[in-house]
């Protein structure tokens, strides 16, 4: 007797609960959306950037955090502050914690070679952003650096080449020579300039990603080549130094300066607007943030075996010049934090 | 003849020889424009060198200036970009660097931590504090104001780039301070023999604090020049090895690390040598890495020459003098 | 006895206050600071970070720790010799590059590759060493410039070989093992590092080269004057540092195969921080491998934990900097104030009660009544001598005494006017005794028991005894051997005044009132010394009784004379002969009539006797008052007593006013005269003993007439 009433009570509770459940999940289920939300809820994403505190990583993080908050999962960040050793320790720490997805922004091409397979063996998806290890993860989101070099060189060839009636004298102010950005990008430029014999590289100097060195190097180059036609830069953070030297020499009208970067307003659009930069290839951090979120979502929904189905989402490059500049060409961190990627 | 050669003269001779060589061999080296830009390119190094010289003459060293400089300047820009009037922002930054100087001085004078450690640790602390609480983003850019403030680093006065003028002003002020003012003379006394200075009645501890406050203020000036010259400043500079370059400029000019010797003239000589070297090598289109190798080997040769001409005696060398 | 005094007595008997000072005086106490910091770091982070002490995390840390440890052993050598090596960061990067190129890309054999890479590091160290050691350049500046040069070369190398390296991959198992392999769960790098640390520790503390390194760091000038090849020693330390850095870089290369531009950047600062955190002082001379190990583990744990806590890089820099500051501040303050704390904590008074002071007034009828019989005694060597603690004669009537300058001086018979330095020992000779063969045996303060042959040849007999099990101070070393006598079978019994103080501090021992001294027996048959009577209150004079089976010894601070049977039917028995002297007894020697002479080096005073019953008072005095103002026992006047085997006082000799012999430490009867020595005196006194046997000599009394 007692047993029976217990059973019926339990059944009543169960029915109530299921009714309540359907009420709680009240929004319309198109057959995928409910599953989508449930899959994402409570998942753990880990992010090891080069370093926090600069526009790219802060931007990606803002995009990641926004989606995480909206969908109920977490994104943990550990900041190695430009140090490979610290980064490796941070990644090892994360692998021990077993998150669902690990997003890496590697400092160099080799350091994570052992860590990527190690994480995948633990069942963690590895996404690499903007820079790549030699070993591919499950997804790559970011710039195709070869394409970047090609686009910069093509623009320069068009602007300073014989076709434009210029003398073709071009200088390249590059960064720390060992970074993939520089190595791969330079290869792209070399390949383009090989087809344009009218372009003459008068100087190719590294400024070590340091704007003050860039200024010193550029000012000397300008003194040596008063008839210089164009300069190609490597990163907006360094390129302000190049621009300062050009401005100082009073050659802003003569020298065509192409920069590149993540498209932050203060670093890119402001400099285009005031004439520091003449052209700017942006890899559009909000777009990359969106891609990053997409990669995470795809991996978590399709659930391939880690390492079995790698894919890439190369970022479409956006050329910003004074003519194409609009209010929405660039982004600010505040806006990104508010709106998400 | 050779006996009379000290490091300063050696470096000066090398500088002159290089200057003549470059003038003859490198087209365009001797133009007025190039010479000005030569000095301009090393003026920030020179300003920092003046600060470092004040520390080293007083038998100290300040490894934290390369943190104080970008952090204070970046904070100033952040405040200005946030809408604060430039004057007020400058006062805030000044207060910050004075506080850093006082902490440095207190650690060295009262807690008696060796200067090299106190300032090494303070460099890390200042950078960390700045990044955590003052400017969360590494790179801060100048806004688009029209104030004279933005011309400090990028303008020209009578055709001379303003960083060069700032360098000259800072050097002249430091020269007068060290030569004519009592605290300046005290710094020499303290560097020469701290114990004797103390016995003589010099207020050694307050003087050390004053010394480091002055150094921090010069660092702020250098930071403002750099930020306005490059339209922005990156606090990551604190992690670079630039501080070693600054020490080298000072020591290369002939200011001994043992303290009490040398003056601002030595800083100028050291700075000029570096300037001539860098400029000449850039004209020759040597790569950045080859430039660094050549530059540092020449520095090494200069101090080797000094040691050979003025050897240290096993019996008179100070113990613990590293 | 009042109840409070009884309580004081028990409290000081059972609570071992002296241990605090003894522990503080140990040199390993410096290691306690990093030890405490490490404990604090461990406690803090294991509370803050769950899984901090988990296996996988520790495994990751251990791998890096191995590399750090290898480097810091090299740095320790450099810093101990008074140098500094800032080049390590760049050397590390350079060797990492070389390892990647040679082993990873060109697949060189490890047995060939690793030594080669270490040699590359060693070559960079050698350049530093040549410049700093042989040319005498400043370490800081030179290694700084080398840091920049090597870093520039690394940048150039990355430019030239970066592509080659990033394509290379060495799949050999040995290389894999270096990178990720473990031995019983311990990473390969840590195993190697532990072996290196062990070798480093042994070299530094137990081997000639290590001692030279410490000497150069402790005082470069003295090391040079002592004949140590300073230049070579300094040069070698930099080479060691370079070799070690090369080895560490190889492990790093195997683990990460990373040729980034940031490799090794700031490593020099990390290592310097670790060394100083561990307590290795800048400028040299102070430190150990263990301290370096502790420093390195602290730095590594803090770094790793700050990363794992997910703090922003600014905050973790801030915390790291503050920890560095705090650690250095503690270290600096500790080094500066350590001896002050130690001086206050070391003196540990305890309770001691003497019987009521015997009367000494003239005409009081007391056996100790004052007289003036030593006034106007003849002086030998007046003004030439400095501190003849004891006096003795050979069979040819030549007089021997010690001097503060470390010599034994011989005055020639018959008039003892002409003198020569008989032997130079180096420490202040105190007690003297002749053995049957005519060798002079002496206790040398601070050195031990020595023998001088008739030709003046000096031999060390003993400078150590057995270490007692529970003593914290090292009581195996002889600090203050004082007086001796020789048994018929050749065994030497000698007293050591105190095991807690050096010779120049012997009077501070009086403030403690504890039995800190002992009697030791040196057996010539085995050449070994054993402590036979421990815990005596400054044992001083020793005299073997004519029976040859017992000896009398005086305890200076105990104001008593005791007989101890070392042989015969009563072997081991101890009996007090005189228990309440009016002063502090020093040497005891035989008299011609079968009785004994004893010198009292100072007289008791009621104030000090009372102070001995008040240990708290003495402790406060030591802690609050300057050393010169402490209350000491009176040493300004003394006397000579004569007593028989039963302890009856037979005679007393005073020098009122203390003009010639204010403080007498020894007496020797020889052919009808009594010769007086004093440790602070400038002469030997000669007193004619009325009615004494004019032919009696001590030598004959001990060893019979010359046959």
């Amino acid at each position: 007797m007692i047993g029976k009433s217990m059973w019926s009570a339990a059944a009543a509770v169960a029915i109530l609960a299921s009714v309540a459940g359907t009420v709680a999940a009240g929004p319309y289920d198109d057959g995928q959306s409910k599953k989508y939300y449930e899959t994402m809820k409570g998942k753990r994403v880990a992010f090891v950037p080069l370093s926090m505190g600069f526009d790219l990583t802060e931007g990606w993080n803002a995009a990641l955090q926004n989606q995480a908050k909206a969908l109920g999962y977490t994104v943990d960040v550990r900041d190695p502050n430009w140090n490979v050793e610290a980064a490796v320790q941070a990644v090892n720490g994360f692998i021990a914690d077993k998150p669902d997805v690990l997003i890496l922004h590697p400092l160099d091409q080799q350091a994570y070679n052992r860590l990527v397979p190690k994480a995948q063996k633990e069942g963690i998806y590895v996404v690499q952003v903007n820079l790549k290890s030699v070993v591919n993860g499950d997804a790559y989101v970011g710039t195709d650096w070869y394409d970047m070099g090609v686009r910069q060189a093509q623009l320069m060839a068009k602007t300073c080449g014989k076709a434009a009636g210029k003398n073709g004298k071009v200088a390249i102010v590059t960064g720390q020579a060992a970074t993939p950005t520089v190595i791969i990008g330079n290869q792209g430029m070399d390949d383009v300039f090989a087809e344009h014999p009218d372009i003459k590289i008068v100087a190719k100097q590294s400024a070590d990603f340091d704007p003050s060195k860039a200024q010193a190097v550029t000012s000397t180059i300008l003194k040596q080549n008063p008839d210089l036609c164009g300069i190609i830069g490597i990163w907006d953070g360094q390129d302000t130094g190049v621009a300062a030297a050009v401005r100082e020499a009073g050659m802003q009208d003569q020298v065509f300066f192409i920069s590149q970067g993540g498209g932050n307003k203060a670093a890119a659009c402001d400099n285009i607007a005031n004439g520091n930069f003449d052209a700017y290839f942006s890899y559009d951090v909000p777009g990359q943030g969106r891609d990053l979120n997409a990669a995470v979502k795809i991996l978590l929904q399709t659930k391939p075996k880690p390492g079995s189905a790698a894919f890439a989402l190369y970022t479409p490059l956006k050329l910003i010049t004074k003519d194409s500049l609009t209010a929405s060409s660039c982004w600010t961190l505040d806006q990104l934090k508010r709106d998400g990627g | 003849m050779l006996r009379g050669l000290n490091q300063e003269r050696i470096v000066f001779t090398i500088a002159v020889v290089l200057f003549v060589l470059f003038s003859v061999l490198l087209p365009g080296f001797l133009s007025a424009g190039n010479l000005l830009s030569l000095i301009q390119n090393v003026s920030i190094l020179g300003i920092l060198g003046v600060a470092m010289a004040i520390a080293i003459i007083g038998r100290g060293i300040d490894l934290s200036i390369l943190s104080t400089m970008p952090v204070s300047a970046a904070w100033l820009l952040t405040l200005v970009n946030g809408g604060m009037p430039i004057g007020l922002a400058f006062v805030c930054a000044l207060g910050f660097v004075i506080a850093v100087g006082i902490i440095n001085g207190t650690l060295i004078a009262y807690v008696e931590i060796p200067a090299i450690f106190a300032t090494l640790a303070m460099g890390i602390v200042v950078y960390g504090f700045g990044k955590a609480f003052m400017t969360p983003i590494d790179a801060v850019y100048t806004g688009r104001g029209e104030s004279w403030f933005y011309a400090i680093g990028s303008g020209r006065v009578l055709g001379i780039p303003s960083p060069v003028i700032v360098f000259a002003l800072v050097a002249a002020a430091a020269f007068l301070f060290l030569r004519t003012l009592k605290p300046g003379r005290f710094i020499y006394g303290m560097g020469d023999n701290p114990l004797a200075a103390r016995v003589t009645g010099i207020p050694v501890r307050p003087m050390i604090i004053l010394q480091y406050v002055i150094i921090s203020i010069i660092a702020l000036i250098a930071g403002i020049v750099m930020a306005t010259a490059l339209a922005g400043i990156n606090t990551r500079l604190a992690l670079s090895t630039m501080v070693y370059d600054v020490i080298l400029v000072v020591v290369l000019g002939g200011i001994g690390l043992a303290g009490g010797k040398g003056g601002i003239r030595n800083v100028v000589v050291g700075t000029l040598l570096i300037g001539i070297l860098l400029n000449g090598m850039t004209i020759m289109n040597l790569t950045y890495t080859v430039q660094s190798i050549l530059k540092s080997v020449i520095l090494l040769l200069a101090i080797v020459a000094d040691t050979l001409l003025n050897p240290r005696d096993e019996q008179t060398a100070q113990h613990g003098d590293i | 006895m009042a109840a409070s005094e009884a309580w004081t007595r028990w409290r000081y008997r059972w609570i071992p206050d002296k241990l605090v000072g003894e522990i503080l005086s140990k040199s390993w106490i410096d290691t306690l600071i990093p030890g405490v910091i490490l404990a604090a770091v461990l406690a803090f982070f294991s509370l803050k970070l769950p899984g901090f002490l988990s296996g996988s995390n520790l495994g990751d840390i251990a791998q890096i720790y191995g590399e750090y440890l290898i480097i810091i052993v090299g740095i320790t050598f450099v810093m101990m010799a008074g140098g500094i090596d800032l080049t390590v960061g760049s050397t590390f990067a350079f060797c990492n590059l070389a390892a990647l190129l040679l082993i990873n890309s060109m697949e060189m054999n490890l047995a060939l590759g690793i030594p080669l890479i270490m040699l590359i590091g060693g070559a960079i160290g050698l350049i530093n060493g040549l410049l700093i050691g042989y040319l005498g350049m400043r370490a800081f500046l030179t290694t700084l410039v080398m840091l920049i040069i090597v870093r520039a070369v690394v940048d150039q190398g990355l430019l030239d070989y970066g592509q080659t390296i990033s394509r290379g991959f060495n799949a050999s198992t040995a290389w894999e093992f270096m990178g990720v392999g473990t031995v019983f769960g311990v990473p390969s790098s840590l195993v190697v590092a532990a072996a290196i640390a062990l070798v480093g520790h042994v070299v530094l503390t137990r081997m000639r080269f290590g001692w030279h390194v410490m000497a150069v760091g402790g005082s470069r000038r003295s090391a040079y004057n002592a004949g140590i090849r300073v230049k070579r020693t300094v040069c070698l330390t930099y080479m060691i540092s370079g070799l070690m850095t090369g080895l560490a870089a190889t492990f790093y290369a195997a683990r990460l195969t990373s040729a980034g531009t940031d490799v090794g950047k700031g490593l020099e600062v990390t290592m310097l921080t670790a060394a100083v955190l561990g307590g290795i002082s800048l400028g040299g001379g102070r430190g150990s491998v263990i301290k370096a190990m502790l420093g390195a583990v602290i730095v590594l744990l803090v770094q790793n934990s700050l990363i794992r806590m997910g703090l922003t890089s600014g905050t973790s820099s801030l915390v790291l900097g503050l920890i560095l500051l705090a650690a250095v501040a503690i270290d600096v303050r500790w080094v500066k104030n350590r001896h002050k704390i130690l001086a206050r904590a070391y003196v540990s008074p305890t309770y001691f009660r003497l019987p009521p002071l015997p009367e000494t007034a003239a005409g009081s009828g007391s056996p100790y009544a004052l007289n003036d019989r030593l006034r106007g005694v003849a002086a030998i060597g007046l003004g030439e001598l400095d501190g003849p603690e004891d006096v003795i004669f050979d069979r040819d009537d030549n007089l021997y005494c010690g001097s503060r300058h470390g010599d034994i001086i011989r005055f020639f018979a018959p008039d003892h006017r002409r003198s020569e330095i008989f032997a130079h020992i180096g420490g202040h000779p105190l007690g003297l005794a002749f053995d049957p063969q005519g060798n002079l045996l002496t206790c040398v303060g601070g050195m031990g028991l020595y023998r001088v042959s008739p030709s003046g040849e000096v031999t060390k007999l003993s400078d150590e005894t057995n270490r007692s099990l529970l003593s914290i101070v090292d009581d195996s070393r002889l600090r203050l051997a004082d007086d001796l006598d020789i048994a018929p079978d050749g065994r030497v019994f000698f007293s050591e005044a105190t095991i807690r103080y050096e010779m120049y501090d012997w009077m501070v021992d009086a403030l403690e009132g504890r039995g800190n001294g002992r009697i030791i027996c040196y057996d010539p048959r085995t050449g070994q010394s054993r402590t036979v009577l421990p815990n005596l209150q400054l044992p001083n004079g020793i005299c073997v009784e004519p029976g040859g089976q017992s000896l009398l010894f005086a305890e200076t601070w105990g104001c008593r004379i005791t007989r101890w049977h070392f042989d015969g039917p009563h072997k081991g028995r101890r009996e007090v002969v005189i228990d309440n002297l009016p002063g502090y007894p020093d040497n005891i020697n035989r008299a011609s009539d079968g009785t004994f002479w004893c010198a009292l080096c100072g007289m008791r005073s009621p104030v000090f006797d009372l102070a001995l019953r008040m240990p708290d008072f003495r402790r406060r005095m030591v802690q609050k008052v300057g050393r010169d103002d402490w209350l000491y026992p009176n040493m300004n006047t003394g006397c000579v007593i004569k007593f028989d085997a039963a302890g009856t006082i037979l005679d007393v000799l005073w020098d009122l006013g203390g003009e010639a012999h204010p403080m007498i430490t020894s007496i020797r009867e020889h052919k009808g005269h009594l010769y007086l020595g004093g440790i602070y005196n400038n002469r030997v006194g000669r007193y004619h003993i009325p009615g004494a046997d004019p032919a009696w000599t001590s030598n004959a009394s001990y060893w019979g007439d010359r046959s």
Side-chain angles (χ1 to χ4, degrees), chain C residues 169-426:
Chain C
F169 184 66
N170 183 343
S172 82
T173 46
W175 187 237
E176 172 96 12
F177 177 76
M178 269 190 89
V180 292
T182 57
V183 180
F184 301 117
V186 180
S188 54
S189 64
L190 190 57
V191 174
V192 174
I196 286 174
L198 189 68
V199 172
H201 181 72
V202 170
V203 169
L204 208 50
T205 55
R206 303 283 188 280
M207 289 174 70
R208 185 188 300 261
F209 174 69
W211 290 6
H212 285 181
V213 167
M214 300 242 237
V216 170
S219 171
R220 194 183 163 96
R221 193 182 304 177
S222 308
Y224 178 77
N225 290 341
I228 294 174
R229 283 188 277 191
V230 173
K231 292 180 173 179
R232 201 184 67 169
T233 311
V234 169
C235 179
L236 282 176
T237 57
Y238 287 95
M239 252 192 89
I240 293 174
S241 172
L243 288 171
M244 291 299 117
T245 309
L247 181 60
T250 317
F251 277 107
Y252 181 87
R255 180 163 62 93
L256 293 184
T257 57
S258 156
T261 46
D262 273 45
V263 172
K265 235 173 217 175
L267 187 69
E268 64 280 350
V269 174
T270 311
M271 287 297 141
L272 210 57
T273 308
V276 172
L277 259 174
I280 297 176
S281 56
L282 286 171
R286 205 175 61 92
S288 69
V289 171
I290 295 163
K291 287 177 185 170
M293 289 169 69
L294 279 175
V297 80
I298 295 171
V299 165
L300 185 59
L301 283 180
V302 171
Q303 273 181 345
N304 180 272
S305 310
L306 289 178
I307 296 169
R308 283 174 52 96
M309 280 173 84
L311 294 180
T312 66
S313 54
T315 319
S316 45
S317 289
L318 185 62
V319 173
L320 208 61
L322 288 176
I323 289 176
L324 174 59
L325 266 186
V328 179
I330 292 171
D331 189 57
V332 166
R333 301 314 290 181
W334 167 250
V335 171
K336 187 177 175 186
N337 294 314
R338 179 191 161 174
H339 69 277
K340 286 188 201 164
I341 298 168
L342 182 58
R344 280 211 284 264
Y346 193 73
V347 179
S348 158
T350 185
Y351 176 85
F352 180 58
R353 185 183 177 127
L354 280 163
L357 188 58
E359 188 60 66
T360 54
S364 61
S366 152
Y368 303 113
L370 293 171
N371 56 49
D372 206 7
R373 288 162 57 191
L374 290 184
R375 170 67 50 94
V377 295
I380 294 170
L382 178 63
E384 294 170 37
L385 287 171
D386 186 358
E389 205 267 351
D390 201 0
V391 186
I392 201 163
F393 292 86
D394 64 13
R395 288 180 190 273
D396 302 319
D397 298 337
N398 298 315
L399 180 154
Y400 298 80
C401 62
S403 99
R404 202 163 58 88
H405 305 286
D407 304 319
I408 291 179
I409 294 173
R410 167 155 68 177
F411 284 87
F412 291 103
D415 54 0
H416 302 129
R417 285 184 192 282
R418 213 158 47 79
S419 67
E420 65 166 13
I421 291 178
F422 173 59
H424 180 76
I425 295 179

Side-chain angles (χ1 to χ4, degrees), chain A residues 51 77-79 81-82 84-86 88-90 92-93 96 108-111 113-114 118 134 176-178 183 187, chain C residues 56 60 64 158-159 163 165-166 176 180 252 254-258 260-262 304 307-308 310-313 317:
Chain A
S51 167
V77 186
R78 281 179 195 164
D79 181 358
N81 201 18
W82 304 95
V84 182
E85 180 67 63
V88 170
Q89 289 184 37
N92 266 321
D108 73 58
Q109 292 175 284
Q110 299 280 345
N113 282 356
R114 289 215 165 93
K118 182 177 166 189
V134 170
Q176 271 175 6
I183 297 173
Q187 212 173 325
Chain C
S56 69
D60 291 338
I64 306 162
L158 282 173
L159 214 57
Q163 294 287 64
I165 289 170
S166 49
E176 172 96 12
V180 292
Y252 181 87
R255 180 163 62 93
L256 293 184
T257 57
S258 156
T261 46
D262 273 45
N304 180 272
I307 296 169
R308 283 174 52 96
L311 294 180
T312 66
S313 54
S317 289

